[in-house]
Amino acid sequence: MSQIQITFPDGSIRKFESGVSGLDIARSISKGLAKEALAVEVDGEVWDLSRPITADATVRVLKWSDDGGKYAYWHSSAHLMAEAVEKLFPGTKFGIGPPIENGFYYDIDVGDHSLTGDDLRRIEAVMKELAERDVPYVREEKPWDEAVAYFRKKGDPYKLELLEELKGRTITFYHQGNFTDLCYGPHIPSTGRIKAIKLLNVAGAYWRGSEKNKMLQRIYGVTFPTQKELDEHLFRLEEAKRRDHRKLGQELDLFVITPKVGGGLPLWLPKGTVIRETLERYLREEQRKRGYFPVVTPHIGNIELYKTSGHYPFYKDSQFTPVQIDEEQYLLKPMNCPHHFQIYASRPRSYRDLPIRLAEFGTVYRYEQSGELNGLIRVRSFTVDDSHIFLRPDQVKDELVDVIDLIKEIFATLGFKDFRTRLSFRDPKNKEKYAGSDESWIEAERLIRRAAEETNLDHFVGVGEAAFYGPKIDFMVRDALGRTWQLGTVQADYVMPERFQLEYAGSDGQKHRPVVIHRAPFGSLERFIGILIEHFAGDFPLWLAPLQAVVLPLADRHHEHARKVAARFQEAGLRVECDERNEKIGYKIRDWEVKKVPFMIVIGDKESGSSSVSVRQHKKGDLGQMTEEEFLRLTKQAIDSRALTL
């Protein structure tokens, strides 16, 4: 039998017989690894441990601690849940059941029966019984017509619809116990690995996300190798509910979304606007230091602009319907870059002018299905802290380094210390998805990798994650609850300058194409603020807090002095209110504590006759008396340094 070369993550290479499985490889390393192994990554793709490897490959054995291990574990859990549902509700039709970031779901059709909490508990109990049998997940390949015959006999219209799109291909099935599903995989070795199970809730979901299709029931669940890990996860879920930005946004008067305006179209209230404008001021200041020029572009554009970029009609399903004006069609702006390209092209450019850094807080519009909308996290109108940097090819790497440093600085300021970066490259096996030449892609990916290494980014490569016009660096940030969010992004683009015929005069007197770096540290301001609300649980650092202090007079006779104190603090630059409500001081303190205001200034007889104030800090209580100057010095230092804590 022929041998193949297996390359491991540390760069070492070993030879194995062709047809070796991931489990065989794990056993060759150690018994402990084989016991912990859940799946194997082969050339970046997650496979079953039992699947034979027949060609040279780069291989990594995946455990629970690996994202790919969790992916296979939760995918297998979805199939286990489907088997339990079929046992309890014979005749159920199944849609899709993928793993997601924290668990899995399955879309099912159980006819007219609406699933209840009691049903979930019954399904959960059956899942535990089925898991204890410890039966294997078995992969089987079938010809397309046999797969169709199987699901036609079973009477499952959803699987038959999926198969129509796979016509002519070899189809993979997976079996475990008494359940068979149409599935590409991967799966863990057997059901016995699934120990701790919790089904979380049921939601409605249109088949394939289209409102034109039938509404199915989507069961969400999560599983873990131990009960302790499940309990910790459920605690984090409860904490996430407490931190939900939609709930806190209403309680703290930050934003409102009303059907009278439209779904996914947030209205910023005064306090929310303060947060937004404070973030904008901060980034504008940082951009000014780095030589960015602010620009402003319209909210609509001629449709030909987006046809040139390639975004229309290829992404027209995520864009609003064009508007006819006179003899032309216009589109609500789905992205800012084509507008910035026109600013660059508005006059001749020289190699001496470059780099040119254009920056805009530009509002864009995307059509999202109503079922996908989620507070500020998923909206139809959002503002991007967009910048497009036009440069010579020899300037690209250094500019990428500077942009990465800017994003790292912003994340550190806002307390996002735990992040990784994905180098999102094209899939070389699927080049038709991408525009541009092989040479430009190779160079762009080389420079992105060099910049990531030079700035010591903790990075990994995501094959197939690139934009159609260039590779990018995506910043994957963990918040206070350990959840991962994709925030800032940096893209190297050799394609759009060609499409828009952008030029500059080189030192040789000839015309040359610039390279463009697309850059957005916040991404969507709406989404970023939604994440910030949850990250801080509404307890914003002093510099970002919408209201930084409130002055509380003890009695009517203290109102006048309290107003003077508030005015002096406002004049010094603090965001301050004076609470003159006819309520007891204890009630006011509790009320403002709930509203998460950083400081309360209590004014009584002693304070009215002096320049001192009595200070309370949110969550810490009474700080005692200090002079007005001392309080201003304390707060000014924290605000000027953008400190996370005092």
Side-chain angles (χ1 to χ4, degrees):
M1 186 178 286
S2 62
Q3 290 195 317
I4 57 173
Q5 286 195 157
I6 298 298
T7 304
F8 292 100
D10 63 0
S12 62
I13 298 174
R14 288 175 58 187
K15 289 188 176 181
F16 291 86
E17 296 292 330
S18 177
V20 67
S21 70
L23 185 58
D24 293 331
I25 293 172
R27 284 182 182 137
S28 75
I29 298 170
S30 75
K31 290 182 180 178
L33 180 60
K35 187 177 179 181
E36 287 188 69
L38 294 172
V40 62
E41 187 177 274
V42 180
D43 290 336
E45 185 178 353
V46 182
W47 285 17
D48 305 334
L49 280 170
S50 59
R51 190 169 167 185
I53 302 169
T54 57
D56 295 349
T58 298
V59 167
R60 185 161 68 103
V61 177
L62 301 172
K63 303 183 292 184
W64 173 253
S65 56
D66 299 300
D67 289 343
K70 289 185 177 71
Y71 182 94
Y73 193 91
W74 285 330
H75 196 174
S76 303
S77 300
H79 280 227
L80 183 67
M81 182 179 74
E83 184 179 5
V85 168
E86 193 168 59
K87 184 175 181 180
L88 288 168
F89 302 96
T92 296
K93 308 297 188 294
F94 293 94
I96 58 171
I100 52 178
E101 184 179 357
N102 283 300
F104 56 90
Y105 70 78
Y106 219 121
D107 290 343
I108 64 173
D109 181 351
V110 288
D112 296 331
H113 178 69
S114 294
L115 294 170
T116 65
D118 285 340
D119 289 326
L120 294 190
R121 285 185 283 275
R122 290 169 61 211
I123 297 167
E124 207 175 276
V126 173
M127 286 179 71
K128 291 174 183 176
E129 291 172 10
L130 296 174
E132 288 171 359
R133 296 171 311 164
D134 196 22
V135 299
Y137 288 91
V138 180
R139 186 174 190 268
E140 179 189 11
E141 293 187 352
K142 283 181 177 288
W144 180 84
D145 54 349
E146 286 186 25
V148 170
Y150 176 86
F151 282 108
R152 187 171 287 144
K153 183 178 179 181
K154 196 173 181 182
D156 194 324
Y158 307 109
K159 300 299 183 184
L160 289 170
E161 183 178 328
L162 293 173
L163 282 167
E164 274 303 305
E165 297 174 8
L166 301 172
K167 200 163 189 175
R169 301 187 197 178
T170 299
I171 305 302
T172 52
F173 278 33
Y174 274 85
H175 314 278
Q176 98 269 359
N178 296 314
F179 183 72
T180 297
D181 203 0
L182 171 70
C183 181
Y184 185 74
H187 289 284
I188 60 177
S190 66
T191 61
R193 299 289 193 96
I194 300 170
K195 302 292 186 183
I197 300 168
K198 181 65 178 177
L199 299 187
L200 301 168
N201 64 288
V202 181
Y206 289 108
W207 168 235
R208 312 200 79 176
S210 172
E211 296 173 5
K212 298 176 183 177
N213 293 333
K214 184 173 181 178
M215 175 76 78
L216 305 182
Q217 296 185 75
R218 175 173 293 179
I219 305 176
Y220 286 95
V222 69
T223 53
F224 284 88
T226 67
Q227 188 63 40
K228 181 174 180 290
E229 288 170 293
L230 174 59
D231 291 342
E232 290 171 350
H233 177 75
L234 295 177
F235 172 79
R236 287 193 297 271
L237 287 181
E238 287 304 310
E239 181 65 11
K241 290 179 185 176
R242 187 180 73 82
R243 292 170 177 254
D244 190 320
H245 77 281
R246 294 165 297 186
K247 171 177 170 286
L248 288 173
Q250 183 176 359
E251 291 173 358
L252 302 178
D253 291 328
L254 302 180
F255 67 92
V256 65
I257 298 175
T258 168
K260 291 185 177 180
V261 173
L265 302 172
L267 302 174
W268 290 93
L269 303 178
K271 289 177 181 175
T273 301
V274 168
I275 297 174
R276 181 184 171 117
E277 290 183 344
T278 303
L279 286 170
E280 287 188 17
R281 269 197 309 274
Y282 165 49
L283 183 52
R284 288 183 201 278
E285 181 182 320
E286 292 299 322
Q287 290 176 164
R288 181 184 54 78
K289 293 175 187 174
R290 289 170 168 80
Y292 287 78
F293 295 107
V295 296
V296 177
T297 60
H299 290 245
I300 64 172
N302 192 302
I303 200 168
E304 296 302 321
L305 199 60
Y306 311 110
K307 288 181 179 178
T308 301
S309 72
H311 289 90
Y312 192 92
F314 299 111
Y315 299 102
K316 68 179 181 181
D317 289 344
S318 64
Q319 296 166 21
F320 285 94
T321 304
V323 177
Q324 190 77 28
I325 302 177
D326 298 327
E327 300 302 315
E328 296 179 314
Q329 283 190 311
Y330 286 79
L331 200 63
L332 278 172
K333 182 171 63 173
M335 71 286 298
N336 297 302
C337 24
H339 296 246
H340 290 191
F341 298 157
Q342 298 310 302
I343 292 175
Y344 176 88
S346 63
R347 66 180 180 84
R349 308 288 181 176
S350 162
Y351 72 96
R352 295 188 182 89
D353 301 327
L354 306 183
I356 294 172
R357 305 177 183 92
L358 305 181
E360 176 183 19
F361 288 90
T363 301
V364 298
Y365 303 87
R366 306 278 173 85
Y367 175 71
E368 301 283 358
Q369 299 276 357
S370 57
E372 301 292 328
L373 299 175
N374 175 16
L376 297 177
I377 303 297
R378 195 78 175 263
V379 291
R380 289 173 173 158
S381 166
F382 56 95
T383 301
V384 182
D385 56 326
D386 241 336
S387 176
H388 296 92
I389 305 167
F390 303 84
L391 6 76
R392 305 189 307 267
D394 63 290
Q395 297 172 318
V396 174
K397 193 269 294 178
D398 288 344
E399 194 68 25
L400 285 169
V401 167
D402 188 71
V403 169
I404 291 168
D405 285 340
L406 169 62
I407 294 175
K408 288 168 72 175
E409 169 72 23
I410 289 168
F411 286 173
T413 299
L414 291 163
F416 291 121
K417 297 177 181 177
D418 184 5
F419 65 88
R420 297 185 73 199
T421 53
R422 180 180 66 211
L423 309 188
S424 297
F425 290 172
R426 72 170 176 170
D427 182 354
K429 299 175 184 175
N430 195 10
K431 291 182 182 179
E432 63 272 13
K433 281 176 56 180
Y434 310 95
S437 66
D438 285 347
E439 292 77 14
S440 67
W441 275 92
I442 291 167
E443 178 66 1
E445 290 178 357
R446 181 184 73 84
L447 293 172
I448 275 183
R449 194 187 292 272
R450 277 192 61 196
E453 291 169 352
E454 190 169 315
T455 52
N456 298 313
L457 287 180
D458 177 9
H459 64 274
F460 63 98
V461 173
V463 175
E465 298 291 339
F468 76 89
Y469 50 85
K472 54 182 179 165
I473 305 175
D474 293 316
F475 287 76
M476 324 295 282
V477 177
R478 287 191 180 275
D479 68 8
L481 292 180
R483 299 171 301 183
T484 300
W485 303 91
Q486 182 180 321
L487 293 180
T489 187
V490 186
Q491 300 172 347
D493 176 8
Y494 287 72
V495 171
M496 291 300 169
E498 184 71 33
R499 290 195 169 195
F500 283 89
Q501 297 293 292
L502 304 181
E503 296 178 336
Y504 68 90
S507 58
D508 58 1
Q510 301 301 309
K511 296 294 184 183
H512 297 269
R513 289 268 181 264
V515 181
V516 173
I517 290 176
H518 304 243
R519 179 239 69 181
F522 296 151
S524 155
L525 258 178
E526 283 72 11
R527 184 170 179 271
F528 192 82
I529 292 172
I531 293 166
L532 276 184
I533 293 170
E534 298 192 5
H535 179 62
F536 290 121
D539 292 321
F540 297 104
L542 186 63
W543 71 276
L544 200 52
L547 185 62
Q548 294 165 326
V550 60
V551 181
L552 307 178
L554 283 174
D556 289 351
R557 63 182 180 276
H558 305 127
H559 283 192
E560 184 178 353
H561 186 72
R563 285 194 290 269
K564 289 178 181 178
V565 171
R568 281 196 288 271
F569 288 170
Q570 287 170 351
E571 198 173 309
L574 280 180
R575 296 189 284 271
V576 183
E577 287 183 12
C578 185
D579 183 353
E580 298 184 39
R581 289 178 295 171
N582 186 24
E583 300 285 357
K584 292 182 178 179
I585 190 65
Y587 172 86
K588 290 183 181 182
I589 289 172
R590 287 191 298 274
D591 187 38
W592 289 108
E593 191 71 25
V594 168
K595 291 176 180 175
K596 305 179 186 293
V597 175
F599 287 106
M600 286 173 260
I601 310 299
V602 180
I603 303 296
D605 289 337
K606 188 173 181 181
E607 292 79 16
S608 293
S610 69
S611 63
S612 65
V613 290
S614 183
V615 180
R616 293 184 64 89
Q617 188 177 353
H618 176 55
K619 286 188 173 181
K620 294 188 177 179
D622 189 9
L623 300 185
Q625 285 199 328
M626 60 182 75
T627 66
E628 293 177 12
E629 288 72 20
E630 286 171 335
F631 177 72
L632 287 173
R633 195 158 50 242
L634 170 72
T635 54
K636 186 176 188 307
Q637 182 180 6
I639 292 168
D640 289 349
S641 64
R642 298 189 176 92
L644 291 169
T645 58
L646 290 176

